[in-house]
Amino acid sequence: MWDRLWVDVHLATYARGTGKPGGDDFGIIRDGAIAAHHGRIIWVGRQADLPAAPEHLAREVLHCEGQWMTAGLVDPHTHLVFGGDRSSEFAERLQGVSYQDIARRGGGILSTVRSTREASEQDLLDSTLKRARRLMANGVTTVEIKSGYGLTLQDELKQLRVARAVSQHLPLRVHTTFLGAHALPPEFTGRQSDYVTYLCDTMLPTVAEAQLADSVDAFCETIAFQPEEVKRLFESARRWSLPVRLHADQMSDLGGAQLAAQWGALSADHVEYASEASVRAMAEAGTVSMLLPGAFYFVREQKLPPIALFRQYGVPMGLATDCNPGTSPILSPTGVMNMACTLFRLTPGEALAGHTHIAAKALGLKQDIGRLHTGMIADMAIWDVSGPHELSYWIGGITPTARIFGGIPDEHRV
C-alpha cells in the first residue's frame, strides 16, 4: 500500500515544466488526488481515476476539502546566515544616501561581515534556524544559503557549517553556496588581486575538500569584483567540479549575465541591467535569470530587469527572497511573488513557476523537486485559496495550511 494519499484536492502540477513565459498554465488538475510512497510521488491524477477506493490504496488518507496543492516552494537565493542587522542603513537610505555610498565607507556588506565574525557558530545557527522556520511556515521546502559574510577562511567555513547544519535540525532541503567573492575584506584593502588569488588557491579548495559547498557564487559589480576576477574564480570552481552562479548586472551592465552564461552558470541573479546580448547568451546556455524583486523594492531601484527580452528569448525566470540584512529583509516567498507581478509585471503563472520548478532548475534539482509528477520527491504545500493565481495576489501574509516534506506532513513529525 502507498504511505499516504491526499484526496479532494485541486492540483497545480507544472507536470511537464509548464508555465511558459507570459502564460498562466499551472498544469491544473481539478478534483484530484496525489499519493506518496517512500518519500516520492507515486500517483497523481483525477480522483475519479484512482484504481481503487482511497482506503484500499494507502495506509493514511488525508482529505483536503477542496483546497489547492502546489509543489513545495523553493527559495534559490538567500543569505540566511548572518550576524547583526542593518536597520540603521535603511534609515540612511530614506534620507537619500545611496547603497553604493554606504558600502564605500565601510557599511553595507562589510558591516554584516563584522557582526558575523563576532558571532559564535551556535549564535549563528540559532538565528538562522529562526529565519529558516519562518520560510518553512511560508511553504518553503528547499532553500539555498550562501556564505559571504565571513571573508576569512575560518569565518566562511563557519557560515557554511551553519548552513549545512540547518537540514540536520529541520525538515528542509539545503543547497549551500560559497560566496567568498562577496566583498573585499578589510585585511586586503588595496590588494584585491591578492584576495582573488587567496580565494582561488586557498579558500575554495579548502571549502571543496570539506564538502561544504554545492556551488560557487560571486558579486560581479563596480563596487565588488570585475569580470576578469570572476573568471579566475570560475576557473578554480571548474577544477573542483563545482557549478557556478553569479550576482550579475544589478547596478550596471558589466556583462556579468553574459559571463555567467559563458561559464554555464546555473543562474545569473538580479540582472536589472542585462543587455540583449547577455539575454541571448543565457538562452543558449540554459542559464536561469534569477529575479530578486525584494532587493529591487527595498533599495528603490528604478531600472527594471529586461522581462520582455527574457520572454522573447525563452529565458526561464526564477524568483527568490534574497533574504539578507541589508537589501532584502524578507522571508515571504508569496510576498516576493506579488512584488514580481506588481513591479516586474510577471503573470501569476510565471511567479509560481519561478518559486517552484524554475527555482529547482537554478539549483540543479529540477529532476527531483518543483513539480507534482510521479517520481518526484513529495515536497508539497496545501493552500486555502480560490486558485493558484491567488498566491501572487496577497501582499505576503498568505501561508499554507499544510507543508509536506518527503511525503510526511509537518504535523506528523515528532
Side-chain angles (χ1 to χ4, degrees):
M1 296 184 77
W2 300 332
D3 291 332
R4 288 182 182 85
L5 173 63
W6 288 262
V7 296
D8 189 18
V9 63
H10 306 307
L11 306 171
T13 67
Y14 285 112
R16 294 174 300 281
T18 51
K20 295 179 181 178
D24 273 336
D25 181 0
F26 295 95
I28 287 173
I29 299 176
R30 291 186 179 274
D31 302 315
I34 186 166
H37 191 63
H38 292 167
R40 290 189 178 263
I41 297 172
I42 193 75
W43 194 94
V44 58
R46 295 190 312 141
Q47 184 171 338
D49 295 332
L50 283 169
E55 60 272 17
H56 294 152
L57 294 170
R59 295 181 180 87
E60 183 177 16
V61 178
L62 298 100
H63 296 265
C64 298
E65 300 177 345
Q67 296 184 89
W68 282 84
M69 179 183 285
T70 68
L73 301 185
V74 179
D75 197 353
H77 179 133
T78 82
H79 304 256
L80 214 60
V81 180
F82 61 84
D85 77 90
R86 280 156 51 193
S87 54
S88 61
E89 293 179 10
F90 174 59
E92 284 189 84
R93 286 203 304 275
L94 293 177
Q95 297 298 319
V97 182
S98 73
Y99 176 80
Q100 292 91 329
D101 287 341
I102 291 172
R104 288 189 182 102
R105 68 169 189 245
I109 292 169
L110 290 181
S111 173
T112 300
V113 168
R114 288 190 293 272
S115 297
T116 303
R117 288 179 177 183
E118 293 168 359
S120 71
E121 193 160 327
Q122 186 61 52
D123 287 342
L124 287 176
L125 178 59
D126 290 344
S127 62
T128 300
L129 289 175
K130 289 179 182 178
R131 290 185 278 269
R133 288 188 182 99
R134 288 182 60 187
L135 284 176
M136 290 169 55
N138 281 276
V140 171
T141 51
T142 298
V143 62
E144 185 259 14
I145 303 177
K146 303 179 190 295
S147 66
Y149 290 134
L151 306 186
T152 67
L153 178 58
Q154 176 183 347
D155 290 298
E156 287 292 296
L157 292 172
K158 177 174 70 173
Q159 275 196 279
L160 290 168
R161 285 194 299 267
V162 168
R164 279 277 194 250
V166 168
S167 62
Q168 297 169 15
H169 289 79
L170 299 173
L172 189 65
R173 213 170 309 284
V174 176
H175 175 112
T176 59
T177 298
F178 173 58
L179 181 57
H182 198 194
L184 184 67
E187 298 85 355
F188 283 85
T189 299
R191 298 188 297 125
Q192 184 148 316
S193 181
D194 290 343
Y195 180 61
V196 174
T197 298
Y198 182 57
L199 280 173
C200 297
D201 295 349
T202 301
M203 293 180 73
L204 195 155
T206 304
V207 166
E209 287 176 345
Q211 298 184 347
L212 287 174
D214 300 310
S215 61
V216 174
D217 197 351
F219 185 17
C220 184
E221 192 49 76
T222 54
I223 63 171
F225 295 89
Q226 303 304 302
E228 288 304 316
E229 295 168 330
V230 172
K231 287 180 184 177
R232 291 174 59 192
L233 180 66
F234 282 3
E235 287 170 354
S236 183
R238 179 171 289 177
R239 287 195 295 272
W240 288 96
S241 300
L242 285 170
V244 297
R245 49 180 23 92
L246 189 64
H247 286 61
D249 303 335
Q250 180 185 7
M251 303 168 188
S252 61
D253 181 11
L254 287 185
Q258 188 166 14
L259 173 65
Q262 289 168 351
W263 284 83
L266 292 170
S267 65
D269 302 32
H270 289 289
V271 295
E272 282 90 337
Y273 285 81
S275 67
E276 184 167 1
S278 291
V279 174
R280 284 199 303 268
M282 292 172 68
E284 293 170 1
T287 296
V288 171
S289 59
M290 187 55 60
L291 306 179
L292 306 174
F296 180 93
Y297 162 82
F298 197 72
V299 302
R300 302 173 69 188
E301 269 285 356
Q302 300 298 313
K303 175 72 171 174
L304 290 164
I307 302 299
L309 288 175
F310 292 142
R311 288 173 176 153
Q312 177 184 338
Y313 287 98
V315 175
M317 293 181 286
L319 287 178
T321 63
D322 188 20
C323 176
N324 75 78
T327 62
S328 190
I330 184 171
L331 290 163
S332 170
T334 56
V336 166
M337 288 161 60
N338 175 272
M339 289 180 188
C341 294
T342 303
L343 300 175
F344 297 167
R345 288 298 187 251
L346 265 63
T347 68
E350 288 174 324
L352 183 55
H355 251 309
T356 52
H357 70 88
I358 295 174
K361 175 179 170 63
L363 297 181
L365 298 173
K366 67 177 183 178
Q367 300 303 319
D368 283 322
I369 61 171
R371 295 178 291 142
L372 302 181
H373 186 63
T374 54
M376 306 291 282
I377 293 173
D379 289 355
M380 306 175 290
I382 300 174
W383 311 83
D384 186 11
V385 293
S386 60
H389 58 279
E390 193 177 337
L391 299 181
S392 297
Y393 167 71
W394 293 100
I395 307 174
I398 187 167
T399 57
T401 59
R403 194 193 77 118
I404 300 100
F405 182 77
I408 303 175
D410 283 348
E411 60 269 24
H412 284 52
R413 300 178 189 276
V414 177

